[in-house]
Each structure stands twice: as C-alpha cells, then as structure tokens.
Amino acid sequence: MKKIGILGGLAWPATVEYYKAICELSQKYHADAGLPGPSPMPEMCIESVNINYSYNRRGTFGDEESWTAYDAYFHAALKRLEDNGVDFAIIASNTPHNRFDAITKGLRIPVLSIFEAVAATCKAHGVSDCLILGTEPTMDSGIFPGYLKRHGVNGFAPPEAALKAKVTGLISELFKGKSDNGSARIDEVVRASCDQTTGKQSVVCLACTELPLAFEGKEQCETFHHNGVFYLNTTMIHANATFRYAVEGEGA
Amino acid sequence: MKKIGILGGLAWPATVEYYKAICELSQKYHADAGLPGPSPMPEMCIESVNINYSYNRRGTFGDEESWTAYDAYFHAALKRLEDNGVDFAIIASNTPHNRFDAITKGLRIPVLSIFEAVAATCKAHGVSDCLILGTEPTMDSGIFPGYLKRHGVNGFAPPEAALKAKVTGLISELFKGKSDNGSARIDEVVRASCDQTTGKQSVVCLACTELPLAFEGKEQCETFHHNGVFYLNTTMIHANATFRYAVEGEGA
C-alpha cells in the first residue's frame, strides 16, 4: 500500500471521517487475507493544521496577492508531508481546493483533487445539473463549477445570499462537532434554491466535508437519497478515491 | 500552543479518540476567547503506522535482540515527527510503552509517557492496588507495574492465562472498531481476578487505549465507576495530559 498524506484539521470532524473511512476500507480489503495479527493498515501521515489561522488569511477571488499567506500555509504543510515520505497526498476539505493550483505548485508528489473526484462521480451517475452547498469560497469562486463543466455538469450555488448564509451557519456548528436539525435545514435551502431554478434540480453536492455529518447514518455513503433529493457526499467520494489509489496496482 | 506529534494507528479507533479529545479540549479552552473564525486548534502531526507490521515484530521480554525490528519501526516514526517540527510527541497506545526507553532513545523532542501519566493519576486518586488489563506485553512485561510502584501503587495482571485471553480477545474486536457486551466481559474478568486476590481490589486500569470503547458513553472520562469498580481510562488520562502540556506556560 502507498503511504497516504492527509492535510487535515479543516475541520477536525471531517478529518476523523476520512481517517475512519480509510481504516475501515483497509479492514474490508484485507478481511479474507488470513494474515496473522490485526488487519494491515496503510501508513498515513496527517498534518492537522490550525483552521483559525487559515480562516483569517482567506483572500479575495480576483486578487491573487491577497491569497499569499493562505496559499503559503497549506503549501508548507503539503511540503512537510512530501518530506515525510508519503507517496501522495489529499487535502481533507473542499475549501482549500479553490486555491489548489497555487497550493500544490512545485510539489513532487501527486495530490488527489476532491473537485476532480466529485466531478468524475457526477459523470458516472449521469448528473447534468448540481446544486453546490459549501463554504463561501466554494459557493462563490466558480472554481468547482469549472471542474464540473469539464465533465458536462452544470454546477451552481444557491441563488440568494440569505440561503448561502444558512449553509455557512450550519457549517460553523458542524465545525464544532454538533448541530441541531441539520438535514432539515439543508432541505429548506435545497427546496428554496430549486423553486428559483428550472425545477429539474434534484442533485445536491455537499461540497464541504462537514456537511454530510448533518445526515446521521449517511456519513459513510458516497451518495444517498433524502426526501427525494440525490446527495453527493464529497468526503466519502474523496476518501474512497484515496484508498483505491493507495492500493492501485497491488495483488494479482 | 505547542505542535503535537502523535504516533498513532495502534490501533486506529484509539487514535480517533485521542484526536477528538484534543480538538474538543482546544474548543473548550478557546470558547470564551471571542476570536474571529473557527476555534483555534493546536497544529498536530499524526504518524499512523501499520499495526500488522509492528504486531508481527513483537519480541520476547528478556531477549533484547528480539525487539530490534519492533523498536526500529517506532523509533523511525518518532524521528519523522521530530523532523516534521513537532514540539513534543506521544505514542497513542500503551503497548509500545513497554519498549519506551529503546524506542525514544536519542530523540531530541520530549515524549510524554502514558504509564507515567497514569501512575501520577493513580497517586492523585490515592489508589493503592490496581488491576492492569491490556495487551499481552502490557500485562506480562512488568514495565507498567514498575512505573506504578514508583508512585506507591501495587499494579498486577489477572492471575490466570484464561482471564488474560478474555481481555486480549476483546481487544482484537475493539481494534476492528466493534465488540459485543464488552463492558460485561471486562466485568467478568475483574470479578474473577478479585476473587483470587485479597478482595480489596476495586480499581482497574484499562491499559489498552481501545478498552474504554467497551464502556459506551465513558470514552471521554478520565476515570469512571461501573458496577462498583473504579476504572482508569488511560486514553483520556494521556490525551488530557497532552493538551495540558501543549498549552502550558500560555496566557496570564
């Protein structure tokens, strides 16, 4: 198995979900191997950074200069993973992916993009339109819709600032490891966003790695249905892609 | 906050508990700080190793040579944490602490011992005798009782091989992230062990970082009572000591 590097802490509850998912996938993968001792695990290095530090260094899209400190913080953490000897890395959060090119510039190790993994999953499921729920940078930057477009998917954010604020308010609570009626609150945003579109919208991308935690029991599903809506769980899509890449080329 | 290094994966469910506990402690610590953005977190680097690899390189106590590969695996992981720039490290598992001196030899960074933290907690609670439940090395090596003795505590393992096997069987299940009736099975071992001692035994040290997971709802308690027995949760004792050390000397 390749050694996995994880840039985590953005926020910590999602880092837990990634780590748990990869460990459980390894247990399933080795279940019938009959090896002596506990189930083998891929070696991993998790760089868990300070989300408060990065949050307060967010820049403005369109102003490259304003992102210098933000980009540097994440690039340095990925560089430490590279120096550690990991074979590849992931960033366990959607938000920094809006600065993916700047953050990963000059690294020798591959970094698996969450936006790319989700876009491929959309294509595999024949998704044509997709509502994007996430942090401000993910809903506003236009970066994620660009990835989706290359796979023939029309991605768009909630049409009103008040709806976006409901999403980011919920994310703040989930960052702390708890929230009330999360799935119902997301459902409201989805209905209101659909009312203002063509009406054919029924696919929603939970493009913040914390958002799936609002749907109890669904945290480990790549995709799931809830109240007639088809949800994409970016955390699990990315975690599954990570484990597949870690074991690729092994075995018979 | 000092940067924390965690040698994890031994096994992964306990690594999750350590990481969650440290993050939640940081949230509580900063709750009233009124800082902009999400709660600050200490930076952490987690080296998650392959428990199967280390398990199959366990040696025999009394035969130093037999531990060479085992010691080298953990020493190299701690060295990577040191190279990463962490200010200090912990090993998120009791078992490797039976080889603590060999594993940490030559490191420049401090490594906080779980045995030392638990021994200090025993002393603080006025514990005089303590039943030790853990993996084979922890129950058999005599290392942990040595730490306890320096704090005036008499530590001892279950008196029969069959009782020890019940404990290690349960640990194997908890390594996989699940078990049935774990607390009742531990209770049986405790009663049987007490029957064969002076009868004054009522303090039990869960000296495998997975064992507290058998007591649902108690995973985050340093100590707790269950069925008239006083339990010491080594995972939380160590995680709390880690966070205290990370913020030591800060603030007013």
Side-chain angles (χ1 to χ4, degrees):
Chain A
M1 292 180 281
K2 299 184 187 83
K3 182 165 185 178
I4 303 169
I6 302 178
L7 176 45
L10 306 152
W12 69 263
T15 303
V16 167
E17 293 303 316
Y18 271 88
Y19 181 68
K20 272 176 66 175
I22 291 168
C23 293
E24 286 171 355
L25 285 164
S26 187
Q27 280 173 191
K28 275 184 213 152
Y29 182 81
H30 292 102
D32 300 322
L35 296 164
S39 183
M41 289 290 142
E43 290 191 3
M44 290 184 247
C45 182
I46 305 173
E47 268 287 305
S48 187
V49 295
N50 180 357
I51 189 172
N52 180 270
Y53 184 94
S54 64
Y55 181 92
N56 289 308
R57 277 153 189 82
R58 283 186 186 175
T60 309
F61 289 102
D63 177 2
E64 272 302 291
E65 201 72 17
S66 69
W67 290 93
T68 308
Y70 183 93
D71 295 347
Y73 187 55
F74 292 122
H75 180 80
L78 286 171
K79 194 76 187 55
R80 286 194 296 276
L81 289 174
E82 182 172 281
D83 292 343
N84 173 285
V86 305
D87 292 300
F88 70 106
I90 56 165
I91 304 169
S93 170
N94 288 268
T95 307
H97 282 79
N98 294 290
R99 298 293 305 168
F100 189 80
D101 292 347
I103 288 169
T104 61
K105 197 176 174 180
L107 292 173
R108 293 186 311 274
I109 51 167
V111 182
L112 303 192
S113 157
I114 193 169
F115 287 166
E116 191 59 54
V118 173
T121 302
C122 280
K123 195 184 177 185
H125 283 276
V127 171
S128 61
D129 298 83
C130 184
L131 176 65
I132 296 169
L133 304 183
T135 59
E136 291 97 334
T138 303
M139 291 191 288
D140 293 341
S141 76
I143 305 282
F144 189 19
Y147 277 86
L148 291 171
K149 202 173 178 184
R150 287 196 284 279
H151 288 264
V153 182
N154 172 39
F156 56 93
E160 290 174 9
L163 294 172
K164 289 180 184 173
K166 284 189 182 180
V167 177
T168 54
L170 175 59
I171 290 170
S172 295
E173 293 174 37
L174 292 165
F175 274 0
K176 293 174 191 159
K178 56 183 170 192
S179 73
D180 289 324
N181 304 316
S183 63
R185 287 154 67 187
I186 290 175
D187 201 50
E188 271 178 42
V189 174
V190 172
R191 305 288 156 191
S193 298
C194 291
D195 285 351
Q196 297 181 38
T197 67
T198 60
K200 70 173 177 171
Q201 175 57 44
S202 61
V203 180
V204 177
C205 181
L206 299 171
C208 167
T209 44
E210 261 67 27
L211 282 173
L213 300 174
F215 296 85
E216 222 184 303
K218 305 292 187 185
E219 300 92 335
Q220 302 219 314
C221 304
E222 275 209 346
T223 61
F224 60 90
H225 285 87
H226 180 82
N227 257 2
V229 176
F230 183 59
Y231 284 94
L232 297 159
N233 176 347
T234 60
T235 313
M236 280 310 117
I237 289 169
H238 202 206
N240 286 333
T242 301
F243 186 73
R244 278 198 305 275
Y245 190 81
V247 296
E248 210 168 69
E250 282 193 1
Chain B
M1 291 180 282
K2 299 185 188 82
K3 183 165 184 177
I4 302 169
I6 302 178
L7 175 47
L10 305 154
W12 69 264
T15 302
V16 167
E17 293 302 317
Y18 271 88
Y19 182 68
K20 272 177 66 177
I22 292 167
C23 292
E24 286 170 356
L25 285 164
S26 187
Q27 281 175 189
K28 274 184 215 154
Y29 182 82
H30 292 101
D32 301 322
L35 297 164
S39 184
M41 289 290 141
E43 291 193 1
M44 290 183 246
C45 182
I46 305 174
E47 269 287 305
S48 186
V49 296
N50 180 357
I51 188 173
N52 179 269
Y53 185 93
S54 64
Y55 181 92
N56 289 307
R57 278 157 188 79
R58 282 186 188 176
T60 309
F61 289 102
D63 177 3
E64 272 301 292
E65 199 74 16
S66 68
W67 290 93
T68 307
Y70 183 92
D71 294 347
Y73 187 56
F74 291 121
H75 181 80
L78 286 171
K79 194 75 187 59
R80 287 194 296 276
L81 289 174
E82 182 172 282
D83 292 344
N84 173 286
V86 303
D87 292 299
F88 71 105
I90 56 164
I91 304 169
S93 170
N94 287 269
T95 307
H97 282 79
N98 294 292
R99 297 292 306 167
F100 189 80
D101 292 348
I103 288 169
T104 61
K105 197 176 175 180
L107 291 173
R108 292 185 312 273
I109 50 167
V111 182
L112 302 192
S113 156
I114 193 169
F115 288 166
E116 191 57 54
V118 173
T121 302
C122 279
K123 194 183 177 186
H125 283 275
V127 171
S128 60
D129 298 84
C130 184
L131 175 65
I132 296 170
L133 305 183
T135 58
E136 289 97 336
T138 304
M139 291 190 288
D140 293 340
S141 76
I143 304 283
F144 189 19
Y147 278 85
L148 291 172
K149 201 172 179 184
R150 287 195 284 279
H151 288 264
V153 182
N154 171 39
F156 56 94
E160 288 175 10
L163 293 172
K164 290 180 184 174
K166 282 187 184 182
V167 177
T168 56
L170 176 60
I171 291 171
S172 296
E173 293 173 38
L174 293 166
F175 273 1
K176 294 174 190 160
K178 56 184 171 192
S179 73
D180 289 325
N181 304 315
S183 62
R185 287 154 65 188
I186 290 175
D187 200 50
E188 272 178 41
V189 174
V190 173
R191 305 285 155 193
S193 297
C194 290
D195 285 351
Q196 297 182 36
T197 66
T198 61
K200 71 174 176 167
Q201 173 58 44
S202 59
V203 180
V204 176
C205 181
L206 299 171
C208 166
T209 44
E210 261 66 26
L211 282 174
L213 299 173
F215 297 84
E216 224 184 302
K218 304 292 186 187
E219 301 92 335
Q220 302 218 314
C221 304
E222 275 208 348
T223 60
F224 60 90
H225 285 87
H226 181 83
N227 259 1
V229 176
F230 183 60
Y231 284 95
L232 297 160
N233 176 348
T234 59
T235 313
M236 280 310 117
I237 288 169
H238 202 205
N240 286 334
T242 301
F243 187 73
R244 277 198 307 274
Y245 189 82
V247 296
E248 209 168 69
E250 284 194 359

